[in-house]
Amino acid sequence: MRTLPTFFISHGGGPWPWMTEFGSTYDKLAASLRQIPASLDLQPKALLVITAHWETVDFTVSGAAKPGMLYDYYGFPDYTYQIEYPASGQPELAEQVLQLLNHKGIQASCDTQRGLDHGTFTPLAVMYPEADIPVVQLSLKTNLDIEQHYQAGQALRTLREQGVLMIGSGLSYHNLRYFDASAARPSKEFDDWLYETLMIKDAKDRHQRLSRWQQAPSARIAQPREEHLLPLWVVLGAADDGKASRIYHQNDLFGGISASSYRFD
């Protein structure tokens, strides 16, 4: 039986795929996102996106059959508030996610009104521009507890054997106060640490080092609040601590910011 990998992706800023104003800034990211479908052995039956842009007290799964759009960004051109990514939802998958979490004693609920936020529709518009694969979203917990998110991923790992592609959508660097050349050093320091850590072959050692991420160089500059890093723990748990490979990296975003994305097999 073929099993899909999981991914942690840096999803970029706002609705960047639609904006010519960004020029070539996101060309490397776009190329890496397009490569993900091409790298898979089979076409996913559905996409489960763990999005950094949705937080709830308990884990919540989106259950709308036809999810709307959430333009959860500010200060962008008017036309970016008319974007459509018309993927369907999949209530059956949402129910299965709910059952898998509850079976492991993880409190979770379903939101049948939730639309697609930009942490979801922005990267998917590049990966699957035809919007022909159903999409379900999973929230983060507002307590931002690393182990609870890792355990949620473990509870969902059997979905990979059923053709569900799990994507953790965040950013390896997310500090909007320092989003220019001033972020070059701290973003590189943290990005280097994250890469070195994820490349550790022993799963136990890697997990222990990841659990101490706040001690990493420039950790709290790179992630003042870790919601954009937490999807990593969910997909790592779902991958059963599988081997990591870096599928995207650049160090010249907005004057020198480093960012990366990873695949787990």
Side-chain angles (χ1 to χ4, degrees):
M1 181 182 298
R2 290 181 292 181
T3 302
L4 286 168
T6 67
F7 292 87
F8 170 72
I9 59 171
S10 290
H11 60 57
W16 61 266
W18 291 269
M19 296 179 61
T20 58
E21 292 90 335
F22 281 125
S24 61
T25 299
Y26 286 114
D27 283 0
K28 291 180 182 177
L29 177 58
S32 73
L33 292 173
R34 285 192 292 267
Q35 181 58 32
I36 289 175
S39 73
L40 302 177
D41 293 334
L42 66 158
Q43 173 90 338
K45 296 179 181 178
L47 308 173
L48 177 60
V49 180
I50 302 91
T51 169
H53 289 275
W54 187 18
E55 296 179 38
T56 53
V57 174
D58 294 315
F59 288 110
T60 307
V61 60
S62 63
K66 294 183 178 180
M69 301 290 288
L70 288 178
Y71 305 114
D72 56 337
Y73 40 75
Y74 306 94
F76 286 89
D78 290 346
Y79 67 85
T80 64
Y81 298 90
Q82 301 174 28
I83 290 166
E84 293 291 334
Y85 185 75
S88 67
Q90 192 171 86
E92 299 84 1
L93 174 59
E95 179 62 26
Q96 187 178 6
V97 170
L98 196 60
Q99 291 179 2
L100 288 170
L101 291 172
N102 289 339
H103 180 70
K104 292 295 185 179
I106 300 172
Q107 192 71 29
S109 61
C110 184
D111 184 338
T112 59
Q113 303 301 313
R114 176 78 182 185
L116 303 179
D117 62 54
H118 85 271
T120 298
F121 70 74
T122 289
L124 293 189
V126 181
M127 293 171 61
Y128 294 103
E130 300 302 317
D132 54 355
I133 301 178
V135 179
V136 171
Q137 297 174 116
L138 179 66
S139 77
L140 303 177
K141 289 189 67 171
T142 52
N143 67 5
L144 306 183
D145 183 275
I146 289 172
E147 284 302 320
Q148 290 182 26
H149 287 80
Y150 178 78
Q151 290 164 10
Q154 287 187 309
L156 300 173
R157 59 189 175 188
T158 56
L159 294 175
R160 299 168 53 217
E161 301 170 357
Q162 301 171 34
V164 178
L165 181 62
M166 297 182 63
I167 301 167
S169 179
L171 284 166
S172 61
Y173 176 86
H174 189 255
N175 187 335
L176 300 183
R177 292 182 60 189
Y178 302 99
F179 217 76
D180 53 28
S182 66
R185 181 188 59 80
S187 67
K188 182 182 186 304
E189 288 181 347
F190 185 72
D191 197 75
D192 287 349
W193 176 89
L194 187 61
Y195 174 75
E196 292 167 4
T197 301
L198 291 176
M199 292 303 110
I200 293 174
K201 293 182 179 180
D202 184 275
K204 183 177 179 180
D205 290 346
R206 180 173 66 179
H207 189 82
Q208 289 179 346
R209 180 162 157 144
L210 278 171
S211 70
R212 301 190 297 270
W213 76 272
Q214 295 183 61
Q215 301 173 23
S218 298
R220 279 302 184 187
I221 300 176
Q223 299 285 340
R225 188 175 182 276
E226 59 265 40
E227 82 284 348
H228 272 71
L229 193 61
L230 270 183
L232 169 64
W233 272 272
V234 181
V235 297
L236 189 58
D240 202 19
D241 290 306
K243 177 183 177 182
S245 55
R246 187 161 65 179
I247 60 169
Y248 158 71
H249 173 70
Q250 67 181 106
N251 57 11
D252 57 355
L253 282 168
F254 300 103
I257 294 174
S258 295
S260 297
S261 299
Y262 292 89
R263 168 178 170 149
F264 300 96
D265 287 284

